[in-house]
Amino acid sequence: MTQQGDGGLPDLRVLGPVEIVGPDGPAALVGARQRAVIAALALHPGTMLPFSRLVDAVWGEDPPRTAVKTLHSHVARIRQALTAGGLPQLVLTREPGYVLAAPRHAVDAHQFIAGVERGRALRAGGALDEAAVQLRAAVALWRGDALADAPVEGWAAGEVDRLHELRLSAFEELYDIEVRIGRHHEVMGAVSGLLAEHPSRERLTGIHMLALYRAGRQTDALDAYQRLRHRLADDLGVDPGPELSGLHLAILRRDPALDSPAPKPIPAAVVPAQLPARVGHFTGRDEELQALEAVSAADDDLPVVVVCGPAGMGKTSLAVQWAHTATSRFPDGQLFLDLRGHDPKSALSAEDALTHVLRGLDVPDDRMPSSPAEQAALYRTLLHGKRFLVVLDNACRADDVLPLVPGGRNLLVVTSRNSLAALSTRHAMRVIAVDALGHDAAVALLGSVLGADRVAREPGPAARLARLCGGMPLALRIAAARLIGHPKRPIAEFAAELNSAGRLDNLAVEGDTRTVRTVLASAYSPLSEEPARLFRRLGLHPGPTFSTHLGAAVCGVARSVGGQAIDELSTAHLVTAVAADRYRFHDLTRVFARQCATADEPDDVGERLLDWYLLVAHQANQLINPARDVVTPSIRYPDAVVPFGDDQRAAIAFLDAERDNFLPVVQHARETGRPRQAWELTYLLTSFYEATGHWHERIELCRQGAAAACDLGDPLAEGEMLRALGVAFYMSRRLDDALETNMRALAVVERGGDLAGQGHVYNNIGNAYAELRRFDEAVAALRLAVSRCADAGNRLGRALSLRNLGRTYIRMGQADLSVEPLNDALAQLRDLGNRRLEAGTLDTLGEAYLQRGQHDRAITEFTAALAISREIGDRWLEWEILHDLGVAHLDRGAVAAALAALEAALAITREVGGRHGEAMALDSVGRAYLHAGDLERADQHLTLAVAARARVPDVFAEAHLHRDLGDLAARRADSAAATRHWDRAMRLYQQANATAEAAELATRRT
């Protein structure tokens, strides 16, 4: 079979179903007539075939009137299919017809004809063995009848008949040679089968007669002659020709000239066992071994197995380990060949690889076919009907593997740093991805090499060493080798050495050239220029993951260019995809990339990286909350395209995917002397955290931002960052920390005379006091917030402070006082177009109406608020509103509606990391099940609520929880437990200054 080459040479197959394969895969030819057109052209490649001749080939003597027009339509569709396969210029127009622009040797029919001619020439020269090899390879190109799925007419049908006749003649030539050189036993069955299809062939009958005679079956040989003589007489009225008659007479006389020469051994008589030794201390990989086992145990034809993964991950070790366990299933032999694809300079060509494999199958050099196509055909012939295991190590490209796919019940296992996806366009394929070992397996490998006792003496340092090696088997083995030579050296000492700047230098063993650095360099060095530059620059990214958008920005190229570059890195397993358009480095690969960048990249990469984050955060902030406008970042490289356009939901989703990077990027900005970028990025991300939660992460981010602002000596920036830190503490229920931080912020903004800042800080102080149930101080602070914002002309700040004042009145049990400030706030927020705070204020109004017993009005407000929160994609606000809506339904006895809302709220709190909210929702869901009479589920949720609340202490909320647990115990008639919980709840209510709730519970007890 022809193979797809680097220059785009097509693979044209007509000796069976019509197939065309290009650089990008097979062309999808639809319909028998499309296949007939391309097959007719393939029979005469490089020759212009007139339209009339093609019409004759497709429709014969009675074409439709529109035949030429239909022909053009077929050719247009054929060209579309060829273009998809990477062959846009294969069929060209040459008036008055078309031409297939391919050499003759690209078509299997012409390869076959050339192979037969070479075989006959070799026979004429007396080289019978070589002639047999050539003919065997030629007939192996056939996959069925010529043009099997493309019926043709006229002259093309004659061409098909000629090919079939030549195939039959080639078989006769081959079998004649095989019998004459003593291999009559090997071909007896094949000759008999062919004769059954063509019983009147005199030459084939003669070959059969000689084979039978040489096998000691003289009578059968004479009977074969008589059968042919009678058939010819009955059908044609003639006798066999003189050559066959002479053979008949010689057999009757037992002519010594007919005796068989000494037979020569057939190739592949030796059973090869080429697997290398297993690696010592093989550990883990249970899932991968099971996957290989499952593939080999299949009943059907076996797929090609590709074991792929990054350098140093033990792909070869895995393949060899499994192969040794599977040898009994492949009794005809095991072949192993290192294709050396990791180094383009030393990689084996397909021709060299075939030569190596055929030598392993005991084909001597003097019988080796001259062309790769014939070598591949002989390879498949030798493996046909047998059970071989073929392991190709270190493949680089699919083209290197394709000639060596054996088919049938033979199994090909390929290891590669690339995924070799192009193989799947030709063959069934199973990919087994190999990555770093899990932590337990990595420690187990160290224990296996160093000894379990040594690792057990230092379990912590051994675990640290495994993490420093990133689970890479090569690194772990090198680290163990460094230690095994020094049995007294503490593991902790070497781990500390490895944790230094020279980690890659320390992962080397004297006398062994295969170090972590050399292995990574061998994967890096073949990269083309743009992917290599991207690899280096991404090595400077401090976060755990990155996107194509970031890659394009740090390189200053279009996203399409960056995408192509990152695809090449992914294909080479230098980066690993973790989600759609999101990638990561292995830890040691990142170290290598960073070292390459330090040597080769300019200083502006860090600026480009921070500029991109500032640009993305600024654009997202303008979509989520444009009123948050203290910072407009100064961007040196503004040409990057933001990945979400004007879509607010897409902006939130993209930032959520980047969330793990924010803290490392801000820390990196501070550590590299860029405090302005550090605090500005922290500020610009505020609206994202308000919409999504994750407040525990936000705390450390704001600490870094505040420290950066302090480094910068900018009181405005420091005030903003301290205020943001106070909000993060507040939302994480660290209320004392929130109050202390906001007091620090207040001192900063008062020194700077920032009235608007004072208003915001007083608002936050009031909220903290309210949650601490210090209501008088809360109301005073919030009134100051309203006043300061009004003096500063900050309408938004005033509206927000009014909303929180109303909410505080509700917490105090004075809902009537809340309605006026809440309606005032709502009107201003609608006028300002702030949808998020509008929804929050509607939610608070709903709480007021609920406290006043106006359930329908409350549910109306909650429903309107919920619609807005979903419209703007604010998940944090959504769970709060759903919770309040559920409580309203429960308060009026609609338990099913309450459970639907409360369980939805619970799911969102878990999604956004709202621990306080999760504890609240669990308590409320438990209370709803209690109302429904489902005591078992009530118990489950209240028990979970106790555990969740322990992580986020809140005295008032804990009191509610023990109140509900007491109610549950009472429903179960466990009066002692009920009293215990109620007593605890009353103490907590009193501690929280919730005297009304404590009094209500005391009344219930009596």
Side-chain angles (χ1 to χ4, degrees):
M1 184 186 299
T2 57
Q3 300 300 330
Q4 181 59 43
D6 293 340
L9 183 67
D11 185 353
L12 300 156
R13 312 173 194 171
V14 296
L15 300 182
V18 175
E19 297 176 359
I20 301 180
V21 181
D24 297 334
L29 300 172
V30 180
R33 285 196 169 135
Q34 283 188 28
R35 292 188 289 272
V37 171
I38 199 71
L41 290 166
L43 292 174
H44 295 278
T47 301
M48 187 276 291
L49 293 184
F51 301 141
S52 58
R53 191 161 169 77
L54 288 169
V55 166
D56 180 56
V58 176
W59 286 280
E61 296 180 354
D62 189 22
R65 288 185 297 104
T66 60
V68 173
K69 183 178 179 181
T70 305
L71 173 67
H72 295 329
S73 177
H74 284 317
V75 169
R77 292 189 180 93
I78 290 169
R79 284 171 169 164
Q80 290 175 354
L82 293 174
T83 299
L87 299 167
Q89 299 297 317
L90 186 60
V91 175
L92 303 176
T93 302
R94 292 286 185 270
E95 292 293 344
Y98 295 111
V99 62
L100 189 82
R104 294 173 68 83
H105 62 265
V107 182
D108 59 356
H110 294 287
Q111 293 175 32
F112 165 68
I113 294 169
V116 172
E117 290 173 352
R118 282 193 296 272
R120 286 173 173 169
L122 287 167
R123 178 176 188 174
L128 297 185
D129 289 298
E130 292 79 357
V133 169
Q134 289 286 346
L135 289 166
R136 198 178 298 117
V139 297
L141 292 167
W142 286 75
R143 298 168 291 110
D145 288 342
L147 283 64
D149 58 352
V152 290
E153 304 287 341
W155 64 268
E159 293 275 359
V160 170
D161 292 341
R162 184 177 69 84
L163 285 169
H164 287 156
E165 176 59 30
L166 184 57
R167 174 178 59 171
L168 186 55
S169 176
F171 272 119
E172 289 176 335
E173 194 86 39
L174 172 62
Y175 295 151
D176 187 36
I177 293 172
E178 298 279 21
V179 171
R180 291 186 184 280
I181 60 179
R183 295 182 189 147
H184 42 275
H185 289 290
E186 287 82 351
V187 300
M188 185 91 70
V191 173
S192 297
L194 196 60
L195 191 59
E197 296 179 32
H198 305 279
S200 299
R201 301 281 294 195
E202 289 196 31
R203 187 179 185 192
L204 195 56
T205 301
I207 296 167
H208 193 215
M209 290 167 60
L210 183 57
L212 290 167
Y213 177 77
R214 287 185 170 177
R217 297 167 58 185
Q218 181 190 29
T219 301
D220 290 338
L222 295 171
D223 286 347
Y225 176 80
Q226 293 301 330
R227 283 195 298 274
L228 177 65
R229 190 172 69 82
H230 289 311
R231 180 179 293 278
L232 291 176
D234 292 343
D235 293 347
L236 303 173
V238 298
D239 289 325
E243 185 176 347
L244 191 63
S245 298
L247 176 61
H248 175 248
L249 184 59
I251 291 172
L252 280 171
R253 295 175 175 174
R254 296 182 181 274
D255 189 333
L258 299 180
D259 291 344
S260 174
K264 295 185 179 181
I266 193 167
V270 176
V271 176
Q274 297 180 347
L275 294 176
R278 308 184 204 208
V279 68
H281 307 289
F282 185 87
T283 304
R285 305 298 190 198
D286 293 340
E287 290 185 9
E288 293 87 348
L289 289 169
Q290 289 171 11
L292 283 162
E293 195 69 17
V295 170
S296 68
D299 294 330
D300 300 328
D301 287 355
L302 300 179
V304 177
V305 176
V306 176
V307 179
C308 65
M313 292 301 171
K315 301 178 292 295
T316 303
S317 299
L318 170 66
V320 170
Q321 176 73 18
W322 173 79
H324 275 284
T325 69
T327 54
S328 61
R329 268 167 279 164
F330 300 95
D332 294 308
Q334 304 89 44
L335 301 169
F336 182 92
L337 181 62
D338 183 359
L339 296 177
R340 304 198 294 267
H342 60 273
D343 183 359
K345 296 177 182 177
S346 63
L348 290 183
S349 67
E351 184 174 0
D352 288 341
L354 281 165
T355 300
H356 278 281
V357 170
L358 289 173
R359 283 174 180 157
L361 293 167
D362 207 26
V363 177
D365 287 347
D366 61 354
R367 295 180 57 197
M368 192 71 66
S370 58
S371 74
E374 292 165 343
Q375 289 175 338
L378 177 57
Y379 165 73
R380 290 192 300 273
T381 299
L382 294 174
L383 269 59
H384 179 69
K386 297 182 179 178
R387 292 297 306 272
F388 271 88
L389 172 62
V390 183
V391 180
L392 299 180
D393 195 29
N394 283 320
C396 179
R397 305 172 309 159
D399 284 350
D400 301 331
V401 175
L402 282 168
L404 292 158
V405 177
R409 300 290 294 148
N410 301 294
L411 179 62
L412 174 61
V413 177
V414 184
T415 74
S416 178
R417 294 175 187 174
N418 304 325
S419 60
L420 305 182
L423 275 175
S424 64
T425 65
R426 306 278 195 95
H427 303 284
M429 178 173 148
R430 172 69 191 275
V431 175
I432 298 176
V434 178
D435 208 337
L437 290 171
H439 181 69
D440 291 344
V443 174
L445 177 55
L446 289 175
S448 179
V449 179
L450 294 174
D453 291 344
R454 188 172 180 183
V455 169
R457 286 195 299 271
E458 295 185 81
R464 188 160 60 254
L465 180 59
R467 285 192 292 271
L468 287 168
C469 292
M472 179 188 286
L474 175 63
L476 289 162
R477 290 177 180 279
I478 291 174
R482 290 285 304 273
L483 284 166
I484 207 168
H486 302 279
K488 301 298 183 183
R489 186 181 187 186
I491 297 174
E493 180 183 291
F494 181 65
E497 180 181 314
L498 202 61
N499 199 28
S500 66
R503 189 186 310 185
L504 295 184
D505 294 327
N506 287 319
L507 286 172
V509 179
E510 187 175 354
D512 188 348
T513 59
R514 194 166 186 263
T515 68
V516 172
R517 186 189 298 281
T518 59
V519 166
L520 292 174
S522 70
Y524 166 70
S525 59
L527 295 174
S528 49
E529 181 179 353
E530 199 60 54
R533 184 161 68 112
L534 179 63
F535 175 77
R536 295 190 299 270
R537 294 192 172 197
L538 287 175
L540 298 173
H541 181 247
T545 67
F546 43 83
S547 68
T548 303
H549 295 88
L550 172 64
V554 296
C555 289
V557 298
R559 182 175 180 267
S560 59
V561 176
Q564 292 170 0
I566 212 163
D567 283 347
E568 185 171 332
L569 295 180
S570 180
T571 299
H573 283 94
L574 285 168
V575 300
T576 300
V578 294
D581 193 31
R582 186 146 297 275
Y583 302 85
R584 66 169 174 83
F585 279 120
H586 181 271
D587 289 349
L588 295 176
T589 308
R590 182 191 302 279
V591 172
F592 177 76
R594 188 166 295 159
Q595 290 180 358
C596 293
T598 302
D600 298 330
E601 288 301 321
D603 295 335
D604 71 343
V605 177
E607 287 291 335
R608 286 183 179 275
L609 186 145
L610 290 172
D611 269 10
W612 181 80
Y613 273 103
L614 285 167
L615 177 66
V616 167
H618 177 55
Q619 295 293 334
N621 179 65
Q622 288 187 318
L623 291 171
I624 302 169
N625 186 4
R628 189 170 294 283
D629 57 1
V630 170
V631 168
T632 301
S634 174
I635 295 175
R636 183 176 167 191
Y637 300 100
D639 295 335
V641 177
V642 295
F644 41 76
D646 295 328
D647 186 334
Q648 184 190 78
R649 288 178 177 271
I652 291 173
F654 186 81
L655 290 184
D656 195 54
E658 285 283 345
R659 209 177 75 233
D660 291 342
N661 292 323
F662 294 147
L663 180 58
V665 169
V666 168
Q667 288 174 326
H668 173 73
R670 277 198 69 208
E671 292 165 0
T672 56
R674 300 177 175 98
R676 177 186 62 80
Q677 289 96 323
W679 91 262
E680 287 186 351
L681 179 57
T682 305
Y683 173 86
L684 291 168
L685 291 169
T686 304
S687 57
F688 163 71
Y689 282 99
E690 287 175 344
T692 62
H694 309 293
W695 291 104
H696 293 82
E697 300 171 11
R698 177 73 172 161
I699 290 172
E700 185 55 36
L701 189 65
C702 289
R703 279 178 171 153
Q704 290 291 327
C710 184
D711 295 342
L712 197 61
D714 183 339
L716 173 64
E718 187 177 2
E720 285 291 337
M721 287 293 92
L722 286 171
R723 183 162 66 86
L725 179 59
V727 171
F729 279 134
Y730 170 82
M731 297 301 291
S732 302
R733 310 305 292 174
R734 294 172 58 174
L735 300 176
D736 291 329
D737 288 332
L739 196 56
E740 185 272 332
T741 303
N742 277 303
M743 290 301 184
R744 288 168 55 201
L746 183 61
V748 172
V749 296
E750 284 182 338
R751 283 198 307 270
D754 180 4
L755 283 177
Q758 291 173 41
H760 286 305
V761 175
Y762 273 121
N763 175 70
N764 295 344
I765 290 171
N767 286 339
Y769 277 137
E771 290 301 313
L772 290 165
R773 304 190 67 77
R774 294 163 60 176
F775 292 123
D776 290 343
E777 293 163 289
V779 169
L782 288 166
R783 285 174 174 167
L784 279 171
V786 172
S787 173
R788 292 289 193 279
C789 289
D791 291 344
N794 183 357
R795 295 177 63 201
L796 179 62
R798 180 177 180 276
L800 177 60
S801 301
L802 284 168
R803 181 249 183 166
N804 289 329
L805 179 61
R807 187 168 181 272
T808 301
Y809 284 134
I810 296 168
R811 300 293 302 278
M812 296 167 69
Q814 300 179 28
D816 289 343
L817 295 177
S818 72
V819 175
E820 181 181 345
L822 288 174
N823 280 322
D824 189 351
L826 182 62
Q828 290 188 55
L829 292 168
R830 282 174 170 165
D831 188 46
L832 292 167
N834 192 308
R835 301 283 281 162
R836 179 176 184 276
L837 291 180
E838 179 189 350
T841 305
L842 285 168
D843 178 50
T844 309
L845 267 172
E847 291 183 88
Y849 290 126
L850 182 61
Q851 194 176 95
R852 294 168 66 173
Q854 296 173 266
H855 294 89
D856 291 342
R857 183 72 181 273
I859 289 172
T860 298
E861 303 296 348
F862 290 143
T863 302
L866 183 62
I868 296 173
S869 72
R870 287 173 171 169
E871 175 189 328
I872 64 177
D874 192 317
R875 299 290 276 168
W876 188 273
L877 189 56
E878 184 180 354
W879 84 254
E880 289 184 323
I881 298 168
L882 281 167
H883 181 267
D884 292 340
L885 179 61
V887 170
H889 283 307
L890 189 61
D891 204 41
R892 71 171 186 176
V895 178
L899 278 170
L902 291 170
E903 288 181 332
L906 176 59
I908 297 174
T909 64
R910 288 169 169 166
E911 173 192 323
V912 301
R915 298 174 187 171
H916 171 67
E918 181 182 1
M920 282 180 58
L922 282 166
D923 183 9
S924 298
V925 172
R927 188 164 67 254
Y929 278 119
L930 187 60
H931 279 256
D934 190 338
L935 303 188
E936 185 64 31
R937 287 191 177 180
D939 191 0
Q940 290 173 2
H941 284 81
L942 292 174
T943 301
L944 289 171
V946 170
R949 181 54 62 198
R951 298 195 298 271
V952 195
D954 183 297
V955 175
F956 186 64
E958 188 179 352
H960 283 334
L961 181 53
H962 281 284
R963 176 201 64 193
D964 296 335
L965 285 166
D967 291 347
L968 173 63
R971 292 285 296 274
R972 287 175 161 172
D974 187 346
S975 57
T979 299
R980 186 171 64 254
H981 283 297
W982 285 335
D983 285 346
R984 176 76 182 276
M986 282 195 295
R987 289 195 300 273
L988 291 168
Y989 278 136
Q990 289 163 353
Q991 182 182 338
N993 195 30
T995 54
E997 286 83 356
E1000 188 275 333
L1001 190 55
T1003 302
R1004 187 185 311 181
R1005 286 193 59 201
T1006 61

